[in-house]
Amino acid sequence: MQAETVNKTALITGASAGLGAEYARQLAALGNNLVLTARRTERMETLASELTAKFGVKVQVYPADLADPDSPQRLCAQLATDNIDIDILINNAGYGVTGTLNVPEWNAHQDFMQVMVNAVVELCYLLLPSMQQRGFGEIVNVASMAAILPGAPGHTLYAASKAFLVRFSESLAMENINTGVKVQALCPGFTYTEFHDVTGTREQVSKMPDKLWLNASDVISYSLEELKHKNSLPVVIPGRQYRSIERFMRWMPRRMAYKTMLKRAKTFRQVD
Ligand SMILES: NC(=O)c1ccc[n+]([C@@H]2O[C@H](COP(=O)([O-])OP(=O)(O)OC[C@H]3O[C@@H](n4cnc5c(N)ncnc54)[C@H](OP(=O)(O)O)[C@@H]3O)[C@@H](O)[C@H]2O)c1
């Protein structure tokens, strides 16, 4: 984070598990106050009590289902009522939907795009002006390596939604170059969280080589470390192995890259 990032207030979406809960732990350890949001209130309350007891920071829990299109407005209205200015926005909530395009019901796609794309953009839209006014802000949009690699069959909208976040974050970072607001798209590869249990692909992905797996704590410390550097790039890839894959795929002829994805997708995407 930028030099003065202590005693700030962070809003973390998807804070009831995985990477969101880890952002909460690491930001609290640095002395920041938190607002946690997700659907599972009890888990967030347990985490809130733990972090307040351990680090003496103020942690508030605002339950919300981001598939509800009114959620971003409602969250921000509640922040205003409680007089809370958000300095750090971590747009992290997310999940996967298995199958090819026509397997899930349309409603499942609609909810997915609401959580993964619309809510992210709307929270940035609503919280950015006050960050700009105060001349300080940090926004992390949690994307994925899936945004960087070519698309693959199955979970059709996942890579597309994450690619959207990468381009969106790049533009937002450039628009804010002189405002004191820093924007990062974080692109993790396979990380140990509940993500693959929720998606229903745990058995499939557990066959992936160990060296491809990242720990949530390493992913988040890399993200926060990168935010500290004045000249860090807006797109951040944790894990040396994934930075090598990104470089390798960038230079690979496109036809070969598609063939590779088509072959490998069976190990991490479910098409039915
Ligand atoms: N783990 C990986 O391998 C990996 C790799 C690349 C990118 N990512 C990305 O990392 C982010 C965090 O995922 P994770 O790995 O930490 O997964 P996770 O352990 O399953 O956590 C996902 C979080 O998102 C929240 N969430 C899901 N749907 C929501 C909704 N409708 N409204 C509000 N909150 C919702 C969940 O909370 P509730 O269920 O309580 O609502 C939970 O807190 C996601 O954006 C994911 O796409 C993960």
Side-chain angles (χ1 to χ4, degrees), residues 14-19 38-40 64-67 92-95 115-116 142-144 158 162 188-191 193-196 198:
S16 62
L19 297 180
R39 292 164 301 181
R40 287 170 291 177
D65 181 353
L66 291 175
N92 160 80
Y95 60 103
V115 174
M116 306 295 274
V142 178
S144 168
Y158 186 77
K162 295 303 195 183
F190 294 104
T191 308
T193 64
E194 295 170 22
F195 182 87
H196 298 98
V198 176

Side-chain angles (χ1 to χ4, degrees), residues 133-178:
Q133 266 164 24
R134 295 193 306 276
F136 178 89
E138 292 177 338
I139 297 176
V140 178
N141 296 318
V142 178
S144 168
M145 271 304 282
I148 295 197
L149 301 173
H155 312 195
T156 327
L157 300 182
Y158 186 77
S161 71
K162 295 303 195 183
F164 177 97
L165 292 192
V166 166
R167 287 289 173 270
F168 169 61
S169 306
E170 287 173 337
S171 295
L172 205 58
M174 287 186 218
E175 287 172 7
N176 282 282
I177 212 132
N178 294 317

Side-chain angles (χ1 to χ4, degrees), residues 147-222:
I148 295 197
L149 301 173
H155 312 195
T156 327
L157 300 182
Y158 186 77
S161 71
K162 295 303 195 183
F164 177 97
L165 292 192
V166 166
R167 287 289 173 270
F168 169 61
S169 306
E170 287 173 337
S171 295
L172 205 58
M174 287 186 218
E175 287 172 7
N176 282 282
I177 212 132
N178 294 317
T179 66
V181 180
K182 208 158 183 192
V183 182
Q184 177 188 99
L186 178 74
C187 296
F190 294 104
T191 308
Y192 294 115
T193 64
E194 295 170 22
F195 182 87
H196 298 98
D197 307 304
V198 176
T199 307
T201 52
R202 174 63 64 206
E203 204 186 321
Q204 202 174 359
V205 297
S206 62
K207 292 175 194 134
M208 302 291 292
D210 284 354
K211 60 176 184 252
L212 282 184
W213 285 92
L214 303 169
N215 286 313
S217 64
D218 297 337
V219 169
I220 304 315
S221 54
Y222 190 77

Side-chain angles (χ1 to χ4, degrees), residues 98-121:
T98 56
T100 53
L101 184 65
N102 287 104
V103 172
E105 295 289 327
W106 177 247
N107 281 353
H109 286 318
Q110 227 165 9
D111 286 354
F112 183 79
M113 289 189 283
Q114 187 60 41
V115 174
M116 306 295 274
V117 176
N118 293 8
V120 173
V121 178

